[in-house]
Amino acid sequence: MDKKVEINIKDCSERFVAVLDEEILNNLNDLNFIMFKDISYEYPESEYIILNTKAIAWMVVYEND
């Protein structure tokens, strides 16, 4: 099941809002990179973001509406 998340980046104010599969969230510690589309409208809708998981300061997982 997909979950909406807010990803905050270490040492800067940058943040992303994305929808990630629950399996990715459960295995985040085993992954080096994740790929997603930002849905906060701060980045082009068609652009995929590849993020090193070590750059994540913290993440908020929102309950499904």
Side-chain angles (χ1 to χ4, degrees):
M1 179 177 277
D2 292 341
K3 297 275 188 180
K4 182 179 173 183
V5 298
E6 179 181 332
I7 303 167
N8 290 268
I9 307 302
K10 288 180 184 174
D11 301 325
C12 72
S13 62
E14 191 143 25
R15 72 184 225 356
F16 301 103
V17 178
V19 175
L20 296 178
D21 185 89
E22 201 166 11
E23 186 176 335
I24 290 173
L25 293 172
N26 291 338
N27 294 306
L28 203 55
N29 290 335
D30 298 330
L31 300 172
N32 292 320
F33 295 92
I34 54 175
M35 184 171 75
F36 58 89
K37 286 187 177 187
D38 180 82
I39 59 171
S40 69
Y41 305 109
E42 292 192 31
Y43 300 89
E45 221 176 289
S46 61
E47 188 175 295
Y48 277 97
I49 295 168
I50 298 173
L51 179 65
N52 185 326
T53 56
K54 290 175 180 44
I56 298 172
W58 50 272
M59 184 182 297
V60 177
V61 180
Y62 295 99
E63 292 301 317
N64 292 342
D65 297 334

